[in-house]
Amino acid sequence: MSAMENNTENTEEEKPTASNESTDNSAETATEEQQMDFSTEIIGVTEMEQSPDSSPDLNAENMQESEIPDIESLQTTDIEAGFPPDFDKFWKVVEDNPQDFTGWVYLLQYVEQENHLPAARKAFDRFFTHYPYCYGYWKKYADLEKRHDNVKQSDEVYRRGLQAIPLSVDLWIHYINFLKETLDPADPETNSTIRGTYEHAVLAAGTDFRSDRLWEMYINWENEQGNLREVTSIYDRILGIPTQLYSHHFQRFKEHIQNNLPREFLTTEQFVQLRRELASVNGHSGEDAQPDDDLPSGAEDITDPAKLITEIENMRHRIIEIHQEMFNHNEHEVSKRWTFEEAIKRPYFHVKPLEKIQLKNWKEYLEFEIENGTHERVVVLFERCVISCALYEDFWIKYAKYMENHSIEGVRHVYSRACTIHLPKKPMVHMLWAAFEEQQGNIDEARRILKTFEECILGLAMIRLRRVSLERRHGNMEDAEYLLEEAVRNAKSVSESSFYAIKLARHLFKVQKNLPKARKVLSEAIEMDKENTKLYLNLLEMEYSGDLKQNEENILSCFDKAVNGALSIKMRITFSQRKVEFLEDFGSDVKKLLDAYDEHQALLKEQDSLKRRAENGSEEPDEKKMLTDDPTLASAQMMDGDMQVNQAAYNYNAWYQYNYQNAWNYGQYYHAT
């Protein structure tokens, strides 16, 4: 494994280096003030499920105090008149299609090249509403502000980026380097500000398997400040975290212990405790050891040089021995995850689809961590996953389902990020979010989610039907009826109108118990779509569901419409045969039975005649004219006895095949791009 540990190359696609430009320090005070309340704006990933309202995607209030001008509010004629000449050309591309990532790349390259700050702000701000996980562009945006001597605005851009992608080790490193360059080293608060930022960084991203550079940078900085005790404290934390360079950290820790005196890298309490532990192990307290209750004197130097050297070596040995146990346990944890980590080839965000083997690895890794890891590690892994797999709704859904057992607010936070930023056109995740809100009793929010999505993606039957069922479940029958009537009116094709007419009729009949109104809906639909077998089937089913004696005329009328209508000869024969069976079983007039039988025989003769003509090549076989989706199914439905008990007459798969070949397979509509 040590050979693999040496592979420390950063796999991220873009690593812009920190600028070394000198900047005016006039904004130092403002920057420090921002740092003092940093914790209220940059949330730790592990706390995300506990305080989602302070998340980057939802917390608009935090941005109100930003010094960055609101570009949207500044889009006056005067400002836009001064934009670079080709800006509108590039802008129109992404305005027309926000999912055109290449168009965004060209736009951002253009505004950077032109070095036009208002245009750049407009472009970057809009870009990040769609692609907040592109950490390299946050760095470019911050650098652009800095080049214009806008230190405070540059700092704000970094903070916004870290709110959007708190797991980005690279962005944290760039931000910390930015602070080191812009803060006044003579200010006594500077070190406190930088240390606080380091702490926020390791809290947010320090449990990432590839966070070693951040930890190493933190340790080196504390060493430069001469804070050996802080260095020891950092090592105590990193040696218990499974990371890629875990062995390297342990080697450096041992060097830290061997090259410094215990009194320098241990706190007074730790030093005294260790001295007494060693004295106890040796079976005596030593001539210079003090009573257990006299802590201050326990830190006094030993006067005998030989004993002093012995104690120092014993302390070093004991400290390394203790941390060796930590290292062994951590190595075991690393070994369990190493195969998964090694298989991650693209840990950063990109719009290009991931290979199937990559998706499989993420799924298996998540399952492993859920089963074996702590809640904190599971959340961090999910956050890493949804960066790399941001455009795959399966992972967002899995994340939300996991959070259901831990935090209601966490579930809402996951769904909100997925639906409002990364997957605005994916139906399944929106429907699950709406269902979740409905379960929580937030009916208005569920209603809003579905309505907003339907306005974004027109014509999806599943969304309209989910809106209908939402209203029905909560007793709003008139609203449910209106939604279906509206769908019938606004249908873009006759078949779509028939589809919704069937839904409306069944709602009126089954839910509102209004057979006359349901009959009217289907009768009107038949007039518009006379070749649609399903309309006749549903009308017959409803008529059969009532009193057969009272409904005899209506049932026969429905049969006559089908038999004498524009259906294929095969379907007309099927309905005719069913009419004969009905009159035989339930009819009140034998004359009608005989007439129906004669009518049926005439249809059979007509069919034979058509077959002979087709065989002679004078006409196409009738089967090729069939317009029904599944004539065999329809025939079976008609032949299968009483329609009242024939549940197949309302076959959901058949109805949904009006628009979709694979019924209710939501994943097929929108593929990740």
Side-chain angles (χ1 to χ4, degrees):
M1 186 175 297
S2 59
M4 288 186 284
E5 290 164 22
N6 293 327
N7 180 21
T8 60
E9 291 185 13
N10 180 25
T11 57
E12 302 216 15
E13 183 179 63
E14 183 176 7
K15 288 201 307 180
T17 56
S19 171
N20 293 322
E21 295 179 51
S22 60
T23 56
D24 188 355
N25 291 327
S26 60
E28 290 162 10
T29 304
T31 304
E32 290 162 20
E33 290 175 356
Q34 288 179 339
Q35 283 300 115
M36 295 303 290
D37 65 350
F38 200 88
S39 61
T40 64
E41 298 188 28
I42 302 294
I43 60 172
V45 173
T46 58
E47 299 172 352
M48 190 173 298
E49 70 277 11
Q50 299 173 1
S51 56
D53 290 337
S54 62
S55 66
D57 300 320
L58 300 178
N59 190 7
E61 291 79 9
N62 287 336
M63 305 311 301
Q64 292 176 356
E65 299 178 0
S66 170
E67 295 296 324
I68 295 180
D70 183 355
I71 298 303
E72 296 296 331
S73 66
L74 296 179
Q75 290 181 9
T76 63
T77 304
D78 293 338
I79 293 178
E80 301 232 349
F83 277 15
D86 291 334
F87 179 84
D88 289 340
K89 179 183 70 174
F90 289 107
W91 180 260
K92 188 177 186 305
V93 173
V94 297
E95 185 79 359
D96 293 342
N97 181 16
Q99 279 68 50
D100 184 357
F101 190 80
T102 302
W104 283 109
V105 171
Y106 288 144
L107 172 64
L108 298 178
Q109 286 177 347
Y110 176 72
V111 295
E112 277 192 282
Q113 176 184 333
E114 295 295 321
N115 201 30
H116 190 282
L117 190 57
R121 285 174 172 172
K122 178 178 180 179
F124 275 105
D125 287 340
R126 182 65 66 84
F127 170 75
F128 288 127
T129 63
H130 300 286
Y131 300 105
Y133 283 165
C134 295
Y135 87 92
Y137 285 101
W138 286 108
K139 173 67 166 56
K140 289 175 181 289
Y141 191 6
D143 284 347
L144 185 64
E145 292 285 2
K146 187 181 173 190
R147 285 199 298 271
H148 287 80
D149 295 327
N150 297 326
V151 177
K152 190 174 183 180
Q153 283 83 352
S154 182
D155 179 88
E156 183 66 26
V157 169
Y158 272 120
R159 289 150 62 86
R160 288 169 56 195
L162 291 169
Q163 285 178 324
I165 181 170
L167 273 177
S168 176
V169 171
D170 288 272
L171 196 56
W172 278 109
I173 290 175
H174 291 316
Y175 180 49
I176 291 169
N177 286 332
F178 165 82
L179 293 178
K180 290 178 180 179
E181 294 171 9
T182 57
L183 296 180
D184 183 2
D187 190 324
E189 294 297 325
T190 293
N191 282 355
S192 175
T193 299
I194 294 175
R195 180 175 292 111
T197 306
Y198 270 121
E199 279 300 312
H200 284 294
V202 296
L203 283 174
T207 51
D208 190 321
F209 191 81
R210 308 182 187 211
S211 61
D212 302 283
R213 288 180 300 123
L214 181 60
W215 287 103
E216 195 85 355
M217 186 177 173
Y218 191 6
I219 290 170
N220 291 340
W221 182 80
E222 290 289 8
N223 263 321
E224 292 170 4
Q225 309 306 311
N227 299 324
L228 298 182
R229 293 185 177 91
E230 293 293 338
V231 171
T232 304
S233 176
I234 296 171
Y235 274 122
D236 284 341
R237 295 155 68 184
I238 183 59
L239 291 178
I241 299 175
T243 63
Q244 189 175 29
L245 303 183
Y246 72 100
S247 182
H248 171 72
H249 295 311
F250 187 54
Q251 292 301 322
R252 287 203 60 192
F253 170 73
K254 290 190 288 187
E255 293 172 6
H256 168 68
I257 298 302
Q258 295 292 352
N259 296 336
N260 298 286
L261 295 174
R263 190 180 295 276
E264 296 174 346
F265 61 74
L266 294 177
T267 65
T268 301
E269 289 184 1
Q270 290 173 332
F271 181 82
V272 172
Q273 182 180 356
L274 183 57
R275 168 177 280 181
R276 291 179 175 176
E277 179 186 338
L278 292 174
S280 175
V281 170
N282 292 332
H284 58 83
S285 60
E287 63 176 285
D288 294 292
Q290 302 298 322
D292 288 348
D293 58 349
D294 192 0
L295 292 178
S297 60
E300 296 175 357
D301 289 331
I302 297 178
T303 57
D304 187 331
K307 290 184 178 180
L308 177 61
I309 293 174
T310 300
E311 182 186 57
I312 290 173
E313 291 303 318
N314 288 340
M315 283 186 169
R316 286 172 173 165
H317 176 76
R318 179 56 182 156
I319 292 170
I320 293 176
E321 184 181 50
I322 293 171
H323 287 81
Q324 180 71 48
E325 296 177 5
M326 294 174 57
F327 170 78
N328 292 341
H329 174 73
N330 198 36
E331 184 174 46
H332 179 64
E333 293 299 314
V334 170
S335 66
K336 292 191 293 186
R337 294 167 174 81
W338 193 271
T339 302
F340 295 118
E341 290 289 345
E342 196 177 39
I344 298 174
K345 304 303 181 185
R346 197 182 80 184
Y348 52 87
F349 169 80
H350 203 285
V351 295
K352 292 181 180 178
L354 275 170
E355 298 174 353
K356 289 184 178 181
I357 192 171
Q358 290 283 292
L359 298 174
K360 181 174 181 289
N361 182 66
W362 277 115
K363 291 177 181 178
E364 292 176 351
Y365 196 0
L366 286 168
E367 290 296 336
F368 166 81
E369 204 66 68
I370 290 172
E371 184 176 349
N372 299 280
T374 63
H375 174 58
E376 177 185 0
R377 291 204 61 83
V378 173
V379 170
V380 169
L381 186 61
F382 265 118
E383 287 296 326
R384 291 176 61 196
C385 175
V386 295
I387 291 173
S388 179
C389 309
L391 302 181
Y392 293 86
E393 64 180 340
D394 288 354
F395 292 102
W396 288 101
I397 293 170
K398 187 179 185 69
Y399 191 3
K401 293 293 185 183
Y402 169 78
M403 291 303 298
E404 286 181 0
N405 297 324
H406 297 85
S407 168
I408 296 301
E409 289 301 314
V411 178
R412 182 172 291 117
H413 178 60
V414 171
Y415 276 132
S416 177
R417 289 160 59 201
C419 295
T420 60
I421 299 176
H422 304 286
L423 305 171
K425 295 185 177 181
K426 296 278 189 173
M428 189 60 169
V429 69
H430 284 79
M431 294 177 70
L432 289 173
W433 184 17
F436 165 77
E437 294 294 355
E438 184 181 356
Q439 284 181 305
Q440 305 309 312
N442 301 322
I443 310 305
D444 289 340
E445 178 65 5
R447 189 179 288 121
R448 182 198 67 79
I449 292 166
L450 293 173
K451 183 178 179 181
T452 301
F453 182 78
E454 189 175 40
E455 291 170 351
C456 176
I457 306 296
L458 301 175
L460 279 185
M462 67 182 76
I463 300 298
R464 176 52 61 110
L465 296 180
R466 180 59 62 89
R467 291 182 65 190
V468 171
S469 64
L470 172 66
E471 301 300 345
R472 175 185 55 75
R473 282 192 294 272
H474 297 280
N476 303 319
M477 301 307 172
E478 291 184 0
D479 291 338
E481 181 181 346
Y482 173 79
L483 287 171
L484 288 170
E485 289 175 343
E486 183 183 54
V488 172
R489 289 194 305 270
N490 298 335
K492 296 181 179 180
S493 65
V494 174
S495 61
E496 182 181 346
S497 177
S498 298
F499 170 79
Y500 285 116
I502 291 171
K503 290 292 184 181
L504 175 58
R506 292 186 68 82
H507 171 80
L508 291 169
F509 177 59
K510 296 290 187 181
V511 180
Q512 298 190 24
K513 309 300 182 183
N514 191 336
L515 177 58
K517 197 170 184 179
R519 181 187 295 126
K520 180 181 178 183
V521 168
L522 286 179
S523 297
E524 291 176 352
I526 288 173
E527 290 301 315
M528 298 293 295
D529 191 6
K530 295 182 179 180
E531 297 180 355
N532 194 322
T533 308
K534 295 163 190 170
L535 293 172
Y536 298 100
L537 288 172
N538 276 272
L539 181 56
L540 280 171
E541 181 195 5
M542 287 191 300
E543 300 293 2
Y544 264 76
S545 298
D547 187 313
L548 295 181
K549 187 173 183 180
Q550 291 183 352
N551 284 348
E552 181 176 342
E553 291 303 320
N554 290 324
I555 293 172
L556 293 176
S557 174
C558 182
F559 276 126
D560 290 340
K561 287 180 181 179
V563 172
N564 301 321
L567 296 176
S568 67
I569 184 63
K570 189 171 184 178
M571 289 308 304
R572 289 164 61 200
I573 289 174
T574 302
F575 278 102
S576 174
Q577 181 175 340
R578 188 66 186 88
K579 178 182 178 182
V580 172
E581 292 176 358
F582 169 77
L583 289 170
E584 187 74 56
D585 294 339
F586 308 108
S588 59
D589 188 340
V590 68
K591 184 178 184 304
K592 291 180 180 179
L593 171 62
L594 296 175
D595 290 343
Y597 180 79
D598 292 340
E599 183 181 57
H600 183 66
Q601 295 301 314
L603 286 173
L604 291 175
K605 291 179 180 179
E606 181 181 348
Q607 184 184 42
D608 290 340
S609 175
L610 289 172
K611 284 183 178 180
R612 284 194 298 271
R613 291 167 60 186
E615 291 171 357
N616 295 331
S618 60
E619 187 174 329
E620 264 190 327
D622 186 68
E623 284 73 9
K624 293 187 179 180
K625 301 178 183 179
M626 298 286 284
L627 299 179
T628 57
D629 294 315
D630 192 347
T632 304
L633 173 64
S635 300
Q637 292 170 352
M638 294 301 298
M639 295 294 291
D640 192 26
D642 194 333
M643 290 288 281
Q644 188 172 7
V645 297
N646 182 7
Q647 296 300 319
Y650 187 65
N651 185 299
Y652 273 83
N653 281 342
W655 307 143
Y656 283 98
Q657 285 170 359
Y658 273 110
N659 295 319
Y660 314 116
Q661 292 302 312
N662 295 314
W664 295 91
N665 181 11
Y666 300 145
Q668 69 179 317
Y669 308 135
Y670 299 98
H671 299 286
T673 56

